[in-house]
Amino acid sequence: MANMFLFIARSFFKLASFSFLLLFLFSFSSFTSTEAYDPLDPNGNITIKWDIMSWTPDGYVAVVTIYNFQQYRHIQAPGWTLGWKWAKKEVIWGMMGGQTTEQGDCSKFKGNIPHCCKKDPTVVDLLPGTPYNQQIANCCKGGVLNSWVQDPSTAASSFQLSVGQAGTTNKTVRVPKNFTLKAPGPGYTCGPAKIVKPTRFVTADKRRVTQALMTWNVTCTYSQFLAQKTPSCCVSLSSFYNETIVPCPQCACGCQNTSQPGSCVDPKAPHIASVVSAGKNNLAPLVQCTSHMCPVRIHWHVKLNYKEYWRVKVTITNFNYNMNYTQWNLVAQHPNFDNLTQIFSFNYKSLTPYTGINDTGMLWGVKFYNDLLSQAGPLGNVQSELLFRKDKSTFTFEKGWAFPRRIYFNGDNCVMPPPDAYPWLPNASSHQLISTLSLLTTLVAAMAFLFGYA
């Protein structure tokens, strides 16, 4: 009998060890398959609207507008790239507000040469400063689109194209297919074009309404899995009531490749300037050598405790030598955002993806002051402080309640430290959660010990 209990005890100890190992490994796993859907912006997408404005002898003239309906995910330099595949043998005779990256083979044309003859053209935005006779409204921003919350007026981009060898009526026109959107890299998946009700336009004096001859929409959604193989940011934590500084998880965004020199930059290297300038020819992050290897780190510090308020300091540090983050933004989820009293040197807007729950806030820089997060170095950080009013029914410093539930930087979910590593109050005797499995294991071991000496 005693041998049987000893066998059961050993089995449970092995099972418990394996379970704790799985939990430990899972705590460092930042992303799951469900995070291709963004719970903090469930309706966010990029919509491409294609409006046919007039017919031509062999086709039509259309205005294509890209709307960024995402609350906090924007498109930064070098900007968007839009592609598609023609359904028939269409060509682009001319463009305004944009251009194709390649002309293609137009050798069969004599006289007027089309702007692009490729079956699968790729279009980019024109740069600021383009001559006025090549511009249309909402063009020429270098492909940069702001997020909808930060500035809706700069969250759209348009170009005009004249299409030939196409249908000249609503019944003979064929919609393009296989739309692709890069912003500037991968991450977006576009659905098929769908014909919708023609867009209506109101004149400047608001006394007349016109409409497009034909309209179709394409919806593109973002997935962080497709955008990058590894995370792009991590979170570290600290507090006034505990000397422990919880760093970003080790290898949060990858590990240092010691076998390949130059995979990261040592800030103490004697020739750091030449190393950084040599790596600026590509968009891949050139990060500072750290234990976490993330391009960006967000530090959340619980700074002060008052009678009716408490204060947090947020610092964003750029470890990427290849990127100045323009129009950056930060999204944090914490239950006390419903009582945010004051924020210093950042803009703020409450996000309520679910009605009645106000636990998510979006922060971004003040224009011309700190809306630019400079590349890694002495100026590569921005910071602010948040003042919260205490809610007596929920407020506590125990069990890591004062730290955020999740943080996004520029729309990407950041790697959080494991919950059992959070700074705890000094009077907390233990912060290890006792599970039912561990209690059962202890009980069986005790029974085995007693029966062993019976």
Side-chain angles (χ1 to χ4, degrees), residues 288 295-299 313-320 323-325 328 345-346 365 369-384 409:
Q288 192 177 111
V296 174
R297 182 191 67 196
I298 294 91
H299 185 75
K313 182 177 181 180
V314 176
T315 305
I316 307 172
T317 305
N318 187 3
F319 292 97
N320 187 358
M323 179 67 73
N324 291 322
Y325 293 95
W328 61 267
S345 71
F346 282 178
Y369 176 60
N370 57 3
D371 60 338
L372 173 66
L373 177 58
S374 299
Q375 67 181 38
L379 302 178
N381 69 87
V382 291
Q383 55 190 6
S384 180
F409 179 78

Side-chain angles (χ1 to χ4, degrees), residues 76-155:
Q76 59 189 15
W80 55 262
T81 302
L82 180 64
W84 64 84
K85 187 175 182 180
W86 291 118
K88 298 193 292 186
K89 297 182 179 179
E90 293 91 336
V91 296
I92 300 175
W93 282 113
M95 293 189 69
M96 292 180 65
Q99 63 182 4
T100 59
T101 56
E102 295 183 42
Q103 183 183 34
D105 183 7
C106 297
S107 58
K108 69 177 182 179
F109 291 90
K110 297 180 180 179
N112 292 333
I113 305 298
H115 176 83
C116 178
C117 301
K118 286 180 67 68
K119 179 76 173 178
D120 52 347
T122 299
V123 175
V124 295
D125 194 10
L126 297 182
L127 298 175
T130 297
Y132 289 113
N133 61 355
Q134 299 177 25
Q135 295 187 25
I136 66 166
N138 279 333
C139 84
C140 312
K141 306 170 186 175
V144 175
L145 288 181
N146 225 326
S147 67
W148 195 255
V149 168
Q150 283 177 270
D151 189 359
S153 65
T154 58

Side-chain angles (χ1 to χ4, degrees), residues 30-93:
S30 172
F31 307 109
T32 64
S33 59
T34 59
E35 291 196 39
Y37 164 80
D38 191 344
L40 299 185
D41 190 12
N43 300 316
N45 67 74
I46 289 182
T47 297
I48 303 163
K49 185 180 289 289
W50 192 299
D51 292 312
I52 296 180
M53 306 303 293
S54 63
W55 302 113
T56 61
D58 70 335
Y60 58 85
V61 175
V63 173
V64 180
T65 305
I66 303 173
Y67 293 97
N68 183 12
F69 291 127
Q70 300 172 110
Q71 293 195 82
Y72 46 79
R73 187 172 292 110
H74 63 277
I75 299 177
Q76 59 189 15
W80 55 262
T81 302
L82 180 64
W84 64 84
K85 187 175 182 180
W86 291 118
K88 298 193 292 186
K89 297 182 179 179
E90 293 91 336
V91 296
I92 300 175
W93 282 113

Side-chain angles (χ1 to χ4, degrees), residues 10 48 51 58 118 130 186 190 224-225 235 268 290 318 328 336 340 357 405 410 431 451:
R10 291 193 186 100
I48 303 163
D51 292 312
D58 70 335
K118 286 180 67 68
T130 297
C190 299
Q224 191 169 345
F225 291 104
V235 180
K268 298 180 181 179
T290 59
N318 187 3
W328 61 267
N336 215 162
L340 179 64
I357 303 177
R405 308 306 182 254
N410 278 358
H431 59 266
F451 279 100

Side-chain angles (χ1 to χ4, degrees), residues 324-346:
N324 291 322
Y325 293 95
T326 57
Q327 302 295 332
W328 61 267
N329 65 66
L330 181 75
V331 174
Q333 188 177 34
H334 190 281
N336 215 162
F337 267 113
D338 59 349
N339 279 327
L340 179 64
T341 303
Q342 190 172 2
I343 183 169
F344 305 89
S345 71
F346 282 178

Side-chain angles (χ1 to χ4, degrees), residues 128-205:
T130 297
Y132 289 113
N133 61 355
Q134 299 177 25
Q135 295 187 25
I136 66 166
N138 279 333
C139 84
C140 312
K141 306 170 186 175
V144 175
L145 288 181
N146 225 326
S147 67
W148 195 255
V149 168
Q150 283 177 270
D151 189 359
S153 65
T154 58
S157 181
S158 301
F159 61 88
Q160 177 181 295
L161 70 169
S162 177
V163 182
Q165 296 186 175
T168 56
T169 67
N170 289 29
K171 294 183 178 180
T172 57
V173 166
R174 295 291 179 266
V175 300
K177 54 187 178 180
N178 298 345
F179 278 85
T180 59
L181 177 67
K182 294 183 178 180
Y188 286 91
T189 302
C190 299
K194 295 183 179 180
I195 298 176
V196 297
K197 290 183 179 180
T199 304
R200 294 165 62 87
F201 306 96
V202 181
T203 58
D205 59 7

